[in-house]
Amino acid sequence: MRVVPQGARLPWGAPRLRRAARTSSRGGVPNVSRETFVRFFAHPPPALARPSPRVLSHASLHCHLLSPIALTRSASLSYHAPMGTKEQLLRLLEENRERYVSGAAMAQAIGVSRNAVWKAVEALRAEGYAIDAVTNKGYALSQENDLLSPQGIERFLPPGHPFAISVRKRVDSTNSEARRRAAEGAPEGTVIVAEEQTAGKGRPGKTFFSPASSGLYLSIVLRPTLAADRGQFLTCAAAVAGAQAIEQVTGKEALIKWVNDIYCDERKVAGILTEGMVDMESGRFEHAVLGIGVNVKPPADGFPRDIADVAGAVLDDRTGAVRCELAAAILTRFWNLYRHVADASFYDEYRRRCFLLGQPLVVRQGPSRVRARAVDLTPDFKLVVELPDKTRRELPYGEVSTRLT
C-alpha cells in the first residue's frame, strides 16, 4: 500500500480572516462577516484540531477510485463575496429566461445606471452568452444559450440547497481543483464546474476526454463520516443519481456499467471518479471529492479514434440548452442519497440499472485478464463473478468488459 504524507495541508481559518480584513477594509472596518468568525471559532483549522491525515492511493482505499465562490442560497457558514453587476445581471436574465426584461427594470433592480447594464450585457456577450435585445422590450437570454454559470444552475436547484458553485471556463481537472480547495478547508458542498478540462481524469493511467461546450464536468467537495473501506458507496450513489438525472432531463434510459460508468443506447455517456484523503488513525475520510463527467452533446470534431467505438453523447445533436438543468439534477439527486449514504438505500436501484449481471465478460486487474460471468452484486457493491471452473470471486474494484476479444 502506498502511503504519502499529506505535508502541504494549509489551515484555512486564520489566513482567510486576515486576507479578508486586509483586502476588504476600506473605512477602517474589516468587511468580514459574522458567519466567517463563527465558522473559524466553532471549527478550528484542521491542522490544529486533529492529527495530520495521510493520503491513500486509489487501490488502498478499495474503492473504484478511477478513474468559491458564487453567491448561493447555501446554509453553510462560508464567506461569499458579493456579486458584481455582470453576475447580478446574469442572475436576472436566468431567472427571467422565458421573457424580456427592460434595461430600466434591470438597472433599478441592481442599483446601477442603464449604461452600466449595457456594458454588462456586452461583457456577457463577449464571454459567449447569446443575449437577444428588442426595442421597447429589453433583453433576454436566447433559448439556445447553453453556457454553464452558477446562476443558470441555481435556477434549477431547490431553495436552501447546500451548494457553493463555482464555474470555470477551463481547468486541468475539476477533481484536482476541488481537492486543492478541500485541502485549504473548503466546506462540504463546494462545487467546481468547468466548460473544459485539459487533463480530465479517468481510470488509472487514462484521461477523460473533456472538450469545451459539449460536456458537463463537475466535482463536489465532501466531508463524509463514512469509513474509507465504504468509499465505493459514494461512487455508486453518484452513478444512480447521474442515471436518474439523465432520464429526468432528457427522457433517455440510462444504465450503469459496474462500477462507475453510465450508458445510453449501449454507449458510455458518463464516468465517475471518487478520490479521498483518509485519517490513518480513524480510518475515516478527512475529505472526499466526487467527480462526474457527462458527454451531453456530440463534440464538434467527434470523439478521438481510441474511444469512438465506445463513447456516446446523451443528446443526438448539439442543439438545446440542458447542461445547467442536468447539473442541478445531478447535484440534487446525489445529495438526497448522500445524506444517508451509509444505509445504501440506493442498492436496489443500482442493481436494477446494472446491465452486466448475467453477462459474460472479461475481468482486467493489473496485467491479467480472466473470462468470467457476472452473477451477483454484494450489499457493499462488490461484483460477484463466476469463473470457468465454477468458482466465484467478489471484485471490490477492477475493470470489466463485455467485449470478449
Side-chain angles (χ1 to χ4, degrees):
M1 179 175 71
R2 178 173 63 89
V3 180
V4 182
Q6 181 187 5
R9 182 178 178 82
L10 299 175
W12 72 278
R16 180 172 293 185
L17 289 176
R18 290 197 295 269
R19 280 200 306 275
R22 183 168 60 250
T23 60
S24 300
S25 179
R26 291 294 179 267
V29 179
N31 184 19
V32 182
S33 68
R34 174 180 179 274
E35 288 77 11
T36 305
F37 281 99
V38 170
R39 179 173 178 81
F40 175 66
F41 288 110
H43 306 284
L48 303 178
R50 51 188 175 272
S52 175
R54 298 291 185 265
V55 180
L56 297 188
S57 68
H58 293 175
S60 68
L61 281 178
H62 282 208
C63 309
H64 199 56
L65 308 187
L66 300 174
S67 243
I69 291 176
L71 181 66
T72 72
R73 294 180 293 253
S74 171
S76 70
L77 299 181
S78 56
Y79 172 75
H80 299 290
M83 290 187 295
T85 300
K86 183 178 66 175
E87 290 75 20
Q88 293 184 70
L89 180 69
L90 181 56
R91 182 183 291 279
L92 280 173
L93 291 172
E94 286 286 1
E95 292 175 347
N96 296 275
R97 186 179 274 261
E98 305 299 326
R99 55 184 180 272
Y100 286 86
V101 183
S102 71
M106 288 192 287
Q108 182 177 3
I110 299 173
V112 298
S113 67
R114 293 186 63 176
N115 186 55
V117 168
W118 177 81
K119 289 182 177 179
V121 168
E122 292 305 305
L124 289 172
R125 284 172 171 165
E127 292 181 7
Y129 289 93
I131 301 176
D132 300 326
V134 176
T135 304
N136 297 325
K137 294 182 70 175
Y139 300 100
L141 277 178
S142 169
Q143 294 303 305
E144 295 303 310
N145 183 83
D146 200 25
L147 285 183
L148 294 162
S149 69
Q151 297 84 354
I153 295 170
E154 289 168 11
R155 174 175 173 240
F156 296 100
L157 290 172
H161 68 80
F163 305 113
I165 302 171
S166 177
V167 174
R168 303 280 300 276
K169 288 293 183 183
R170 176 184 294 177
V171 295
D172 52 352
S173 157
T174 57
N175 261 36
S176 295
E177 176 65 15
R179 290 185 67 179
R180 288 189 287 266
R181 297 198 185 190
E184 294 172 355
E188 183 171 72
T190 297
V191 179
I192 309 299
V193 184
E195 286 277 359
E196 178 184 6
Q197 296 183 115
T198 58
K201 296 181 179 181
R203 294 184 177 91
K206 296 185 179 181
T207 60
F208 187 89
F209 180 59
S210 313
S213 304
S214 63
L216 170 63
Y217 322 111
L218 67 83
S219 297
I220 314 169
V221 174
L222 304 172
R223 300 193 179 274
T225 58
L226 199 68
D229 61 2
R230 293 290 179 103
Q232 188 136 292
F233 285 30
L234 299 173
T235 300
C236 295
V240 169
Q244 291 177 333
I246 288 171
E247 289 188 356
Q248 171 190 326
V249 175
T250 71
K252 275 197 171 183
E253 181 184 36
L255 300 176
I256 298 170
K257 178 189 172 189
W258 182 87
V259 61
N260 69 325
D261 292 336
I262 300 174
Y263 275 61
C264 290
D265 299 326
E266 300 183 351
R267 287 184 172 267
K268 178 181 174 178
V269 299
I272 297 158
L273 167 65
T274 308
E275 297 179 293
M277 182 176 291
V278 174
D279 188 316
M280 293 296 290
E281 292 187 5
S282 67
R284 295 186 177 276
F285 283 104
E286 167 66 16
H287 69 253
V289 168
L290 188 287
I292 182 168
V294 185
N295 303 326
V296 180
K297 302 175 182 180
D301 298 323
F303 290 102
R305 182 177 302 175
D306 60 331
I307 62 171
D309 59 342
V310 176
V314 175
L315 301 180
D316 297 327
D317 56 46
R318 295 179 56 82
T319 61
V322 301
R323 290 193 298 161
C324 286
E325 183 179 1
L326 181 58
I330 290 172
L331 291 172
T332 301
R333 288 185 174 275
F334 173 75
W335 202 259
N336 288 338
L337 299 178
Y338 173 68
R339 288 184 301 174
H340 308 286
V341 68
D343 299 340
S345 58
F346 48 90
Y347 171 84
D348 289 341
E349 180 71 0
Y350 184 96
R351 183 186 176 90
R352 183 182 72 81
R353 293 178 183 271
C354 184
F355 65 83
L356 288 184
L357 296 181
Q359 299 296 316
L361 45 79
V362 173
V363 179
R364 296 184 180 92
Q365 288 189 312
S368 65
R369 297 188 179 190
V370 180
R371 288 177 180 263
R373 180 179 295 274
V375 295
D376 204 358
L377 190 70
T378 68
D380 56 351
F381 300 98
K382 295 183 179 71
L383 185 67
V384 181
V385 298
E386 185 177 84
L387 303 177
D389 63 2
K390 302 303 181 182
T391 60
R392 294 189 174 191
R393 291 171 55 191
E394 294 181 359
L395 304 180
Y397 62 92
E399 184 177 351
V400 297
S401 173
T402 55
R403 299 189 176 193
L404 305 182
T405 58

